[in-house]
Amino acid sequence: MNRKDLPTEEEHYQAYKFVAEEMNPHSVIIRTIDLGGDKFLSQLEIPGDMQPFLGWRAIRFCLARPDIFKVQLRAILRASVHGKLKLMYPMISGIGELKQANKLLDEVRDELRKDGIPFDNDIEVGVMIEVPSAAITADLLATEADFFSIGTNDLIQYSLAVDRTNEKVAYLYDPAHPAVLRMIKNIIEAAHSAGIKVGMCGEMAGEPAFALILLGLGLDGFSMPPFVIPELKYTIRSVTLKDAKEVAHQVLKLSTGKEVEEFSRLKLREILQ
């Protein structure tokens, strides 16, 4: 985003190789090109959309431009032998897009084999669940994915029809909305039924009161800014899974996001006393 030309395959590869080696033996998830919405590259000449968050972006752009997409996929696969890399597609809206993306990934695998270039053939391939259609059909996506990551920032704004960058309606952006919690519950249950894990990438995962609910719903992994980690660790270590499940069970009965937040914060204070 800070340059006038696209990175080459070798530049991609060197960046991913560095991260893989630095983090080894821990895993690293690399999200495929997630441009559009509020992230633009002028050199790609992506047309300006009236609704940029709903337009030609992320996996939609990648599937339309396999020449660019496959460069990144090749680099990720090449770097996968230097550590424990995982690959994740953003903004998947249905099983068709996932299959298309995986088909391109298979093509890249075949090309690397023919060239004699080593890669981790068992690299895990995950899906970001950030579109309501993906949340509702999570059971179908789970048959083709190795893991899920719930992108709450976009999932919430799409589900509640709220542009989170518009100050006139930002007050309607509500992570505790019953519809959001029910979707998250559905996603987690679908993933676990298929035997795969589900994490969360979004601001919601870094809020202690929500972490209590998410823990109770069965979320496997929390992604957050580094400065939030100590407080979240303290919160999670201070509660029992039984208590978290009871809180989640109770909030799913509530009617408004305000009620959910008040109840979860009250329970959190009681638990941490």
Side-chain angles (χ1 to χ4, degrees):
M1 293 173 69
N2 63 349
R3 52 193 287 173
K4 295 182 179 180
D5 59 340
L6 287 168
T8 64
E9 179 184 322
E10 189 62 22
E11 286 178 299
H12 275 289
Y13 166 70
Q14 291 296 337
Y16 305 147
K17 176 176 178 284
F18 173 78
V19 173
E21 290 178 336
E22 288 292 306
M23 291 303 296
N24 199 29
H26 304 292
S27 63
V28 178
I29 298 174
I30 299 181
R31 190 188 308 188
T32 59
I33 301 170
D34 193 8
L35 298 172
D38 55 355
K39 298 184 287 292
F40 298 97
L41 287 187
S42 58
Q43 67 268 28
L44 294 180
E45 299 181 354
I46 297 176
D49 287 316
M50 290 183 65
Q51 300 290 340
F53 283 98
L54 302 177
W56 194 48
R57 55 172 295 216
I59 197 64
R60 300 169 180 178
F61 167 78
C62 289
L63 294 178
R65 291 295 305 270
D67 55 317
I68 295 173
F69 189 34
K70 290 174 76 171
V71 167
Q72 186 189 24
L73 294 179
R74 281 180 61 93
I76 293 172
L77 288 180
R78 286 175 57 199
S80 65
V81 297
H82 298 287
K84 189 177 180 182
L85 294 185
K86 300 181 182 182
L87 183 156
M88 182 169 67
Y89 305 126
M91 207 186 175
I92 292 290
S93 62
I95 194 74
E97 285 178 332
L98 178 55
K99 287 183 175 181
Q100 278 183 270
N102 279 337
K103 182 179 179 182
L104 289 173
L105 182 61
D106 286 338
E107 290 177 9
V108 170
R109 285 191 177 108
D110 290 340
E111 291 169 6
L112 291 176
R113 288 191 191 99
K114 290 177 182 177
D115 294 337
I117 299 173
F119 62 92
D120 178 6
N121 196 51
D122 296 320
I123 187 171
E124 292 187 26
V125 180
V127 174
M128 281 205 74
I129 307 293
E130 50 191 336
V131 179
S133 59
I136 295 168
T137 59
D139 58 325
L140 302 178
L141 292 170
T143 65
E144 299 281 337
D146 295 315
F147 65 92
F148 284 163
S149 181
I150 306 173
T152 53
N153 293 357
D154 277 345
L155 182 62
I156 294 166
Q157 76 165 351
Y158 293 144
S159 302
L160 303 182
V162 176
D163 179 356
R164 55 192 167 98
T165 64
N166 185 332
E167 60 184 28
K168 293 181 180 179
V169 295
Y171 71 95
L172 292 170
Y173 183 85
D174 184 6
H177 193 290
V180 174
L181 296 182
R182 292 181 187 187
M183 274 194 291
I184 291 172
K185 178 176 181 288
N186 180 65
I187 296 164
I188 294 173
E189 288 179 347
H192 289 173
S193 292
I196 65 174
K197 291 188 176 182
V198 52
M200 179 173 288
C201 177
E203 294 173 13
M204 186 177 182
E207 171 59 48
F210 292 142
L212 183 62
I213 298 170
L214 296 170
L215 191 65
L217 290 175
L219 190 71
D220 298 300
F222 295 75
S223 177
M224 67 202 71
F227 69 88
V228 182
I229 292 175
E231 185 178 9
L232 259 291
K233 274 191 173 182
Y234 176 75
T235 299
I236 291 173
R237 289 173 173 175
S238 300
V239 304
T240 65
L241 190 56
K242 180 181 178 182
D243 286 340
K245 285 181 176 179
E246 180 58 28
V247 170
H249 178 71
Q250 292 298 325
V251 298
L252 287 171
K253 297 178 181 179
L254 301 177
S255 304
T256 67
K258 183 179 180 180
E259 291 174 347
V260 169
E261 281 207 54
E262 290 176 350
F263 181 84
S264 59
R265 293 187 191 283
L266 174 63
K267 287 298 180 182
L268 186 61
R269 284 196 296 271
E270 291 177 358
I271 291 169
L272 297 181
Q273 281 181 351

